[in-house]
Each structure stands twice: as structure tokens, then as C-alpha cells.
Amino acid sequence: MTLEWRNASKAYGKKRAVNDFSLEVPKGELLVLVGPSGCGKTTSLRMINRLVDPSSGKILVDGRDVSEIPVTELRRHIGYVIQQVGLFPHMNVAENIGAVPRLLKWNKVKIQARVRELLDLVGLPADDYSEAWPAHLSGGEAQRVGVARALAADPPILLMDEPFGAVDPLTREVLQREFLRIRSTLKKTVVFVTHDLDEAIRLGDCIAVMNGGRLVAAAAPGELLLNANPFIRDFTGEDRALRRLARLSVGDTIGQTTPIAPGGYGDSGTPTGLIRTDATLKEALSLMLEAGESSLNAVSPSGRHMGKLTMENLLENAAGIGVS
Amino acid sequence: MRLIERERIDVVPLTAVLLASVSFFGPFAALKENRVVDGQIIRGFELLGGGLGAGVLILGALTLVVALSGGGGKTRNLVYSFAGVACLWITAVLLVRAGALLGQAGEAPRVSPAIGFWGLPGASYVLIDHSRRQAPRWRSLMLTVCALVPVCLIFSDGRGAAISVFQEWLERQDRFLDELIVHVRLFVFAILGATVFGLPLGIIASKNKRIERLVIAFVDVVQTIPSMALFGLLMAPLAALSRAFPLLRSLGLRGIGAAPALIALTLYALLPIARNAIVGIASVPLPALEAGRGMGMSRRQLFWRIKWPLALPYILTGLKTASVQAVGNAAVAALIGAGGLGIMIFQGLGQAAPDLILLGVLPLILMAVLVNRGWELVIRRAVSPGLLGEVL
Ligand SMILES: Nc1ncnc2c1ncn2[C@@H]1O[C@H](COP(=O)(O)OP(=O)(O)O)[C@@H](O)[C@H]1O
Ligand SMILES: [Mg+2]
């Protein structure tokens, strides 16, 4: 389903939490809303499932104005994950996940099967977790259950408000990786709110940067890091070139720039360092600096020589030349 | 300090052992010829004699050692249960022996309880309750049976007839039963009334800060009026009402009797019920509400599926507190002619007859304990196990 904010604004008294916000999310795409605290991300997100009604403008889901859809009906078909998770403490994990299907009056057998399927999807063994109480879950486990609960009725749209904000950095990375895996199997339109730029770059198909209730820019991660807007340059920080490199893998780059030539290495001599094709360019740069070399041998995870990665490649990519 | 912590001295059973020793060596009962004379004091250890007495001492010492040393949980509990049951059996044996010592002289010879008579069952209750905490259900049931059998035996074969309270009871069996029923009825209706008014009041109050302050202020003020004063305060307006409206009078509304008692008891019970409902609903975590709303629950679904079950432990605890209080407060109702167990207590006070007072007080205590237990059972049943860890 497509999603669209059309000149949406929200005023609380005199304060404009969201100001003339317009943006479209194509079907199946993941939009990340990012920006400093208090810039209106949550408010914009909650307009979609009508937890906030816009003061002016409108929100369209598949071209339909959400204010014309019965509110409970709308919400039952939009998954919603929040930072504090909000599991129901008096229901066990299975009951929590089955909450929306119960609202939709699915039969028991179907709910039970769905719960098992979802626990499996989020990486929690159903036999160990179905009957567990929320009070006994770790932060990471609770958030997995939160995601499973949001996905329970297979909603075409998923809203996530800083879902991984409250877990430790290590768990956050695991959850991000798993979320990417889950997303690749279920093509859903997702709006993901975060204040963490790295998370935005990692997950987003498109990143919308907000400031003071307004949309500053919306672009693919690679382009965003090249944006000349002073606020965005400031927001992305002086190490934005490194962030760009961190997004790209060695494999993608040598495929793009150097034809695989199993024979010779050209004229810059034989590099001694090795880098795996699934490493990021940022890691490659670090290796080059460490070894004092300006090129590395790229090898596939199975050990095959794939080509050569040079400092020029890195410079081009960091500057955004020849990249989408 | 660290040593004590590591060894984990069991303080509760230690207290029980202390209580049991004082009871055993202190006065157990007084043998009297009638209700008012002072009588002859007898002590527990005098009654038991050589063999049994030694056994009791050994058991006491064993319990003491176990409580002081950090042994395994299971053996400890076994010793406590055994000592607890033994305490009750000892009381029964002492009672029978004291009854046998009693002369046939006097109009109504009796064994009048002294500290030991109360202390031993008290220690028994503490020990059994303590050991029950981790015990499986069937064992706790067996313990209760083991403890209650001697009591039943004594009373069923008539050997308990010498106990003074029992004698008072024999003298007024019918009256006692009537007052007991009146008492139960008073407190049950008061709790029903307070629930019917108090719960909705609490729920409405939790929707709005202004109403909440009003409700809290009202129930707080009611609670600060002493019960006797409240009964008095209600008498005048109710008497006036019943004089003005004969219809109300024919319905039983008068300045004295059941009506003012019921109203006062209901007002008292309002505070714990309404306040706990407010606290309970305020305790519902906001993220859970947000999640519920966000997944498309209607207001009604949000209340019955989220707020109510999450507030339930608080609400039921409020009902428990209100009920236990009402059992006691209902005794005061006798003062304005509403009847109940208070009758025995106030008559006993008037006649300086402690045995008669006990006839009112003992069932009162038993009732309070039973009501408390009953609600705890309900809480365990009705509240989701996901919440029990925090509340109980
Ligand atoms: N219910 C509300 N009442 C008043 N002000 C609000 C309310 N919700 C949000 N705001 C204000 O709107 C602004 C944007 O809030 P929010 O969307 O939550 O920001 P973000 O999620 O980006 O941190 C903030 O300044 C916040 O104080
Ligand atoms: Mg926010």
C-alpha cells in the first residue's frame, strides 16, 4: 500500500509540532523519519494510524483519506511498534501476539498457528516463549515480541517508532539485522522513526530528515550524505564520507569499477592485503590505513580472488561519483 | 553481620518458639468455680508431667537449632510444620488435663484461658503459616487437617465443655447463632453496597483529576470520623427522615437498628474500594494503553481487556481490606441496636465477664482471618499470573 502525507500540519496551541509536511512512500518501501528530538517525527507517524489527527492537510493510504476510514478498522490493519514496547503484562507472549487476530475474530486454531509462525520469524522458539510472561523477558526479547505482535494480522503497513531505541547497542545491531531479514521476506510499506542516523542509513530505502516540524530533505541514503543543505551537512556530521563508505560493500564496488580479471593486477603492483567482498568500504579503508597500502585483494567468502580494490575506488565512492 | 546473613537465621519461627516457651512455662489457664472469681492458676509444664514434658522440650530445642542454623529449606520446613502441629496438639492435651483437675464444686466450674492457652495456638499458626509458604498445595492441606483434628476431637466428645468460653456458648447457643448470622449479613451487605458504589466511583474518578480529588476528599473525611461517632452522626438525620416519610419507616429506615449501621459500614468500606480502584487504574502502564489503542481496540475493549485486568489486583486488594475492616466495624453496630457479635462483647464488658467477651471476640477474629484468606484465594485465582510477582 502507498502512503502519503499531503500538506499535513499539527498544532498544539501555538506550537506547530508538524508544519506543512508532504511526502509519499511507494508501496513496499521503507521510509525512515530522522531528525533531532522534538522535531515532529512521532507526531507525523501517529497521523497515519490516527492516534493524532492533523490540524490541516490529510493522510492518504492507497489514495484513501484515512479520516474516512473507521478508526479501529484502520488501526487493525496497520502494525504499530513503539520504543517502550507496551506488551500487555497480564497476557503471556502468545496472547500478546494474538491480540490483533483476536480483535479481528480469527478462530483459535488459526491464531495459534499464526503465533508459532511469528515467534519463529522473530527468532524466539515457540516452545520456550509462548507461555512466558512479559515481566520475564529481556529488552531484546520483549521488542521481538512487540514486532511479532505488530505483524500478527499481516498488515500491509508497519509503523515503528524508535523500536530499537531502548535496547543496548549490541542487541540493537542484532535486531536491525534481523529486521532487514524479516523485511526482505515480507514486502511491507514501513515508516520507521529514529533519531539515530546510522540506523537510518542502515535500514532506509529513503530517509526523510525533519527539523522543527518541517521536512528538510528526503532522499536515498547515498544521496542524502551528499546533500549540500547546511542543516543536513551538520546533521550528518564531518564523518559523512565514512558513513557513505560504511553503506557500500567491497563486492558491489569492484563489480562496478574493476572487471574481474583473475590473471594480472594491472600496473600498481601486487597488493599484499586481503579483504572479503562482504566487508564494507569503510573497513577496507581502515585496513589500507593499517597496512599502509593503497590497494587490497578482494576475495569472496569462499576464498576466491575476485579482483583488486584501490584507494581511487574508495575516493570515488566517498565523493559519490558513479553511485546512485 | 555477614555471618548472620550467610547463615540466614529464620526470624519468624524463632519468634514462634519464644512465644511457645513463654506459653508453656507461663500460666496456661485458671481453674474457676464460676464466671467471676479469680481461680487457681495452672501452668503448662505442670500439667504435662515427665515423659511428654521432656518430649516437648526436645522438640522445642530442635526447632530452635534449626531456626538458628542455615539448613536445607525442605528439612527446615518439615521441622516447622511438625512443631506447629505439635503446638496445637499440646494445647488440646493440656486442656483435657486441666478439665480433669477441675472440681465439681460451684455453679459452673470452668477452665478460664490465660496467656498459655492463646500463645500455643498462636505459635502453631505462625509456624504452620511460615512453613506453608513454599510447600505444595496438598501438603498445606494435610497440615491444616492435622492441626484442626485435635480441636474437633475435643469439642465433639464433650471434654472441651470445661472451657469457659464454651460454657458461655452452651448457655446461649441460639442467641449466638442469630447474632452470628446478623453479623455476617451486616458485613456482606455493607461490602456489596460499597462495591456497587465504590467501584464505579473509583473508575469515574480515574477519568478526571477534579472528580478524583473530590472522591478522595470525601472518602478520606468519612474515614477520619471514628466509627462510633459516625453511627451517632447518622442517627439524628435518619430518625428525622423516617419521621418525615412513613414509607421509608415501613422499609425499616430508622435512627437506630440495621439501617444506620449498614449505611455507616458501607461508607467506611468505600475508601479502600474506591481508592484502590483509582490507584489500580492509574497503575496501568501508558505504553500498554498506547499499544492497545494503536492496534485498534475500542474504548470498551481497552477497558475490559487492558485496564480492568491490570487494575484487578489492586481492586481485589481493596475489597479484601474493606471486608476485613467491615468484619471488625460491624461489632460496633451493636451499640445502635443493629445486633451482631458486638452484643456479646458489650454485654461481657457490662457484666465484667471476660469469658463472654471472648465468645464475641473469638468468632470475630476467626471470621476476619477466613475473610482475609478467602480474598487471597480469589486474588490468586482471578489475577493473571503475569502480575502476581509484583503484587503478592
Ligand atoms: N500531545 C501533545 N501536546 C502538546 N505538545 C506536544 C504533544 N505531542 C507532541 N508535542 C510537541 O510537539 C513536538 C514534536 O513532538 P514529537 O512528534 O513527539 O517529536 P519527536 O518524535 O520527533 O521527538 C514537541 O515539541 C512536543 O513537545
Ligand atoms: Mg518521538
PDB file of all heavy atoms in Angstrom, chain B residues 183-202:
ATOM      1  N   HIS B 183     -24.436 -10.633  62.069  1.00  0.00           N
ATOM      2  CA  HIS B 183     -23.116 -10.034  61.843  1.00  0.00           C
ATOM      3  C   HIS B 183     -22.655 -10.260  60.399  1.00  0.00           C
ATOM      4  O   HIS B 183     -22.253  -9.329  59.706  1.00  0.00           O
ATOM      5  CB  HIS B 183     -22.103 -10.650  62.811  1.00  0.00           C
ATOM      6  CG  HIS B 183     -20.875  -9.832  62.987  1.00  0.00           C
ATOM      7  ND1 HIS B 183     -20.690  -9.001  64.056  1.00  0.00           N
ATOM      8  CD2 HIS B 183     -19.783  -9.682  62.209  1.00  0.00           C
ATOM      9  CE1 HIS B 183     -19.536  -8.393  63.934  1.00  0.00           C
ATOM     10  NE2 HIS B 183     -18.959  -8.795  62.819  1.00  0.00           N
ATOM     11  N   VAL B 184     -22.741 -11.508  59.977  1.00  0.00           N
ATOM     12  CA  VAL B 184     -22.311 -11.837  58.610  1.00  0.00           C
ATOM     13  C   VAL B 184     -23.130 -11.032  57.609  1.00  0.00           C
ATOM     14  O   VAL B 184     -22.612 -10.466  56.645  1.00  0.00           O
ATOM     15  CB  VAL B 184     -22.451 -13.348  58.343  1.00  0.00           C
ATOM     16  CG1 VAL B 184     -22.237 -13.649  56.871  1.00  0.00           C
ATOM     17  CG2 VAL B 184     -21.461 -14.119  59.189  1.00  0.00           C
ATOM     18  N   ARG B 185     -24.445 -10.971  57.858  1.00  0.00           N
ATOM     19  CA  ARG B 185     -25.316 -10.266  56.923  1.00  0.00           C
ATOM     20  C   ARG B 185     -24.933  -8.782  56.845  1.00  0.00           C
ATOM     21  O   ARG B 185     -24.843  -8.208  55.765  1.00  0.00           O
ATOM     22  CB  ARG B 185     -26.750 -10.413  57.375  1.00  0.00           C
ATOM     23  CG  ARG B 185     -27.685 -10.470  56.193  1.00  0.00           C
ATOM     24  CD  ARG B 185     -29.010 -11.064  56.549  1.00  0.00           C
ATOM     25  NE  ARG B 185     -29.547 -10.522  57.783  1.00  0.00           N
ATOM     26  CZ  ARG B 185     -30.529 -11.107  58.472  1.00  0.00           C
ATOM     27  NH1 ARG B 185     -31.047 -12.222  58.040  1.00  0.00           N
ATOM     28  NH2 ARG B 185     -30.980 -10.561  59.585  1.00  0.00           N
ATOM     29  N   LEU B 186     -24.681  -8.194  58.017  1.00  0.00           N
ATOM     30  CA  LEU B 186     -24.311  -6.777  58.058  1.00  0.00           C
ATOM     31  C   LEU B 186     -23.087  -6.518  57.185  1.00  0.00           C
ATOM     32  O   LEU B 186     -23.074  -5.627  56.333  1.00  0.00           O
ATOM     33  CB  LEU B 186     -23.969  -6.383  59.488  1.00  0.00           C
ATOM     34  CG  LEU B 186     -25.048  -5.694  60.313  1.00  0.00           C
ATOM     35  CD1 LEU B 186     -24.501  -5.394  61.698  1.00  0.00           C
ATOM     36  CD2 LEU B 186     -25.534  -4.431  59.635  1.00  0.00           C
ATOM     37  N   PHE B 187     -22.054  -7.330  57.387  1.00  0.00           N
ATOM     38  CA  PHE B 187     -20.804  -7.004  56.700  1.00  0.00           C
ATOM     39  C   PHE B 187     -20.864  -7.377  55.217  1.00  0.00           C
ATOM     40  O   PHE B 187     -20.340  -6.659  54.371  1.00  0.00           O
ATOM     41  CB  PHE B 187     -19.610  -7.596  57.466  1.00  0.00           C
ATOM     42  CG  PHE B 187     -18.914  -8.728  56.795  1.00  0.00           C
ATOM     43  CD1 PHE B 187     -17.958  -8.468  55.821  1.00  0.00           C
ATOM     44  CD2 PHE B 187     -19.186 -10.037  57.137  1.00  0.00           C
ATOM     45  CE1 PHE B 187     -17.294  -9.515  55.215  1.00  0.00           C
ATOM     46  CE2 PHE B 187     -18.525 -11.067  56.530  1.00  0.00           C
ATOM     47  CZ  PHE B 187     -17.580 -10.815  55.554  1.00  0.00           C
ATOM     48  N   VAL B 188     -21.603  -8.434  54.906  1.00  0.00           N
ATOM     49  CA  VAL B 188     -21.724  -8.804  53.491  1.00  0.00           C
ATOM     50  C   VAL B 188     -22.478  -7.721  52.717  1.00  0.00           C
ATOM     51  O   VAL B 188     -22.048  -7.279  51.644  1.00  0.00           O
ATOM     52  CB  VAL B 188     -22.432 -10.169  53.333  1.00  0.00           C
ATOM     53  CG1 VAL B 188     -22.839 -10.389  51.887  1.00  0.00           C
ATOM     54  CG2 VAL B 188     -21.505 -11.282  53.781  1.00  0.00           C
ATOM     55  N   PHE B 189     -23.588  -7.257  53.278  1.00  0.00           N
ATOM     56  CA  PHE B 189     -24.352  -6.230  52.568  1.00  0.00           C
ATOM     57  C   PHE B 189     -23.584  -4.917  52.485  1.00  0.00           C
ATOM     58  O   PHE B 189     -23.652  -4.210  51.485  1.00  0.00           O
ATOM     59  CB  PHE B 189     -25.715  -6.025  53.231  1.00  0.00           C
ATOM     60  CG  PHE B 189     -26.713  -7.063  52.812  1.00  0.00           C
ATOM     61  CD1 PHE B 189     -27.226  -7.977  53.716  1.00  0.00           C
ATOM     62  CD2 PHE B 189     -27.115  -7.141  51.480  1.00  0.00           C
ATOM     63  CE1 PHE B 189     -28.126  -8.953  53.318  1.00  0.00           C
ATOM     64  CE2 PHE B 189     -28.021  -8.114  51.073  1.00  0.00           C
ATOM     65  CZ  PHE B 189     -28.531  -9.021  51.990  1.00  0.00           C
ATOM     66  N   ALA B 190     -22.841  -4.606  53.562  1.00  0.00           N
ATOM     67  CA  ALA B 190     -22.042  -3.382  53.534  1.00  0.00           C
ATOM     68  C   ALA B 190     -21.013  -3.448  52.409  1.00  0.00           C
ATOM     69  O   ALA B 190     -20.820  -2.480  51.654  1.00  0.00           O
ATOM     70  CB  ALA B 190     -21.350  -3.163  54.872  1.00  0.00           C
ATOM     71  N   ILE B 191     -20.357  -4.604  52.251  1.00  0.00           N
ATOM     72  CA  ILE B 191     -19.338  -4.739  51.210  1.00  0.00           C
ATOM     73  C   ILE B 191     -19.982  -4.713  49.830  1.00  0.00           C
ATOM     74  O   ILE B 191     -19.481  -4.065  48.903  1.00  0.00           O
ATOM     75  CB  ILE B 191     -18.533  -6.046  51.404  1.00  0.00           C
ATOM     76  CG1 ILE B 191     -17.700  -5.959  52.669  1.00  0.00           C
ATOM     77  CG2 ILE B 191     -17.629  -6.312  50.215  1.00  0.00           C
ATOM     78  CD1 ILE B 191     -16.733  -4.807  52.690  1.00  0.00           C
ATOM     79  N   LEU B 192     -21.126  -5.383  49.708  1.00  0.00           N
ATOM     80  CA  LEU B 192     -21.827  -5.354  48.420  1.00  0.00           C
ATOM     81  C   LEU B 192     -22.167  -3.915  48.047  1.00  0.00           C
ATOM     82  O   LEU B 192     -21.906  -3.456  46.932  1.00  0.00           O
ATOM     83  CB  LEU B 192     -23.107  -6.184  48.495  1.00  0.00           C
ATOM     84  CG  LEU B 192     -22.926  -7.682  48.306  1.00  0.00           C
ATOM     85  CD1 LEU B 192     -24.262  -8.403  48.430  1.00  0.00           C
ATOM     86  CD2 LEU B 192     -22.318  -7.947  46.938  1.00  0.00           C
ATOM     87  N   GLY B 193     -22.739  -3.197  49.026  1.00  0.00           N
ATOM     88  CA  GLY B 193     -23.117  -1.808  48.768  1.00  0.00           C
ATOM     89  C   GLY B 193     -21.913  -0.967  48.401  1.00  0.00           C
ATOM     90  O   GLY B 193     -21.931  -0.212  47.416  1.00  0.00           O
ATOM     91  N   ALA B 194     -20.850  -1.113  49.189  1.00  0.00           N
ATOM     92  CA  ALA B 194     -19.660  -0.301  48.943  1.00  0.00           C
ATOM     93  C   ALA B 194     -19.045  -0.633  47.594  1.00  0.00           C
ATOM     94  O   ALA B 194     -18.470   0.225  46.929  1.00  0.00           O
ATOM     95  CB  ALA B 194     -18.643  -0.520  50.056  1.00  0.00           C
ATOM     96  N   THR B 195     -19.171  -1.892  47.166  1.00  0.00           N
ATOM     97  CA  THR B 195     -18.624  -2.269  45.857  1.00  0.00           C
ATOM     98  C   THR B 195     -19.448  -1.646  44.739  1.00  0.00           C
ATOM     99  O   THR B 195     -18.912  -1.067  43.795  1.00  0.00           O
ATOM    100  CB  THR B 195     -18.618  -3.802  45.702  1.00  0.00           C
ATOM    101  OG1 THR B 195     -17.982  -4.366  46.836  1.00  0.00           O
ATOM    102  CG2 THR B 195     -17.897  -4.220  44.445  1.00  0.00           C
ATOM    103  N   VAL B 196     -20.768  -1.756  44.896  1.00  0.00           N
ATOM    104  CA  VAL B 196     -21.659  -1.220  43.859  1.00  0.00           C
ATOM    105  C   VAL B 196     -21.450   0.280  43.683  1.00  0.00           C
ATOM    106  O   VAL B 196     -21.473   0.794  42.569  1.00  0.00           O
ATOM    107  CB  VAL B 196     -23.124  -1.543  44.217  1.00  0.00           C
ATOM    108  CG1 VAL B 196     -24.067  -0.739  43.347  1.00  0.00           C
ATOM    109  CG2 VAL B 196     -23.370  -3.027  44.062  1.00  0.00           C
ATOM    110  N   PHE B 197     -21.214   1.003  44.795  1.00  0.00           N
ATOM    111  CA  PHE B 197     -20.981   2.441  44.667  1.00  0.00           C
ATOM    112  C   PHE B 197     -19.509   2.768  44.448  1.00  0.00           C
ATOM    113  O   PHE B 197     -19.167   3.626  43.659  1.00  0.00           O
ATOM    114  CB  PHE B 197     -21.468   3.173  45.923  1.00  0.00           C
ATOM    115  CG  PHE B 197     -22.961   3.208  46.032  1.00  0.00           C
ATOM    116  CD1 PHE B 197     -23.612   2.444  46.975  1.00  0.00           C
ATOM    117  CD2 PHE B 197     -23.707   3.993  45.163  1.00  0.00           C
ATOM    118  CE1 PHE B 197     -25.001   2.465  47.057  1.00  0.00           C
ATOM    119  CE2 PHE B 197     -25.085   4.017  45.240  1.00  0.00           C
ATOM    120  CZ  PHE B 197     -25.738   3.249  46.195  1.00  0.00           C
ATOM    121  N   GLY B 198     -18.671   2.095  45.204  1.00  0.00           N
ATOM    122  CA  GLY B 198     -17.248   2.456  45.247  1.00  0.00           C
ATOM    123  C   GLY B 198     -16.505   2.186  43.956  1.00  0.00           C
ATOM    124  O   GLY B 198     -15.699   3.015  43.516  1.00  0.00           O
ATOM    125  N   LEU B 199     -16.769   1.041  43.317  1.00  0.00           N
ATOM    126  CA  LEU B 199     -16.027   0.707  42.096  1.00  0.00           C
ATOM    127  C   LEU B 199     -16.311   1.699  40.968  1.00  0.00           C
ATOM    128  O   LEU B 199     -15.375   2.285  40.421  1.00  0.00           O
ATOM    129  CB  LEU B 199     -16.353  -0.722  41.641  1.00  0.00           C
ATOM    130  CG  LEU B 199     -15.476  -1.828  42.216  1.00  0.00           C
ATOM    131  CD1 LEU B 199     -15.749  -3.136  41.488  1.00  0.00           C
ATOM    132  CD2 LEU B 199     -14.004  -1.464  42.086  1.00  0.00           C
ATOM    133  N   PRO B 200     -17.579   1.914  40.630  1.00  0.00           N
ATOM    134  CA  PRO B 200     -17.847   2.904  39.573  1.00  0.00           C
ATOM    135  C   PRO B 200     -17.311   4.281  39.949  1.00  0.00           C
ATOM    136  O   PRO B 200     -16.771   5.000  39.103  1.00  0.00           O
ATOM    137  CB  PRO B 200     -19.371   2.932  39.485  1.00  0.00           C
ATOM    138  CG  PRO B 200     -19.814   1.639  40.040  1.00  0.00           C
ATOM    139  CD  PRO B 200     -18.820   1.281  41.095  1.00  0.00           C
ATOM    140  N   LEU B 201     -17.427   4.623  41.245  1.00  0.00           N
ATOM    141  CA  LEU B 201     -16.913   5.913  41.700  1.00  0.00           C
ATOM    142  C   LEU B 201     -15.416   6.017  41.401  1.00  0.00           C
ATOM    143  O   LEU B 201     -14.942   7.014  40.864  1.00  0.00           O
ATOM    144  CB  LEU B 201     -17.156   6.024  43.207  1.00  0.00           C
ATOM    145  CG  LEU B 201     -17.281   7.424  43.783  1.00  0.00           C
ATOM    146  CD1 LEU B 201     -18.474   8.135  43.188  1.00  0.00           C
ATOM    147  CD2 LEU B 201     -17.417   7.345  45.299  1.00  0.00           C
ATOM    148  N   GLY B 202     -14.697   4.968  41.749  1.00  0.00           N
ATOM    149  CA  GLY B 202     -13.255   4.952  41.505  1.00  0.00           C
ATOM    150  C   GLY B 202     -12.939   5.012  40.019  1.00  0.00           C
ATOM    151  O   GLY B 202     -12.019   5.710  39.597  1.00  0.00           O
TER     152      GLY B 202
END
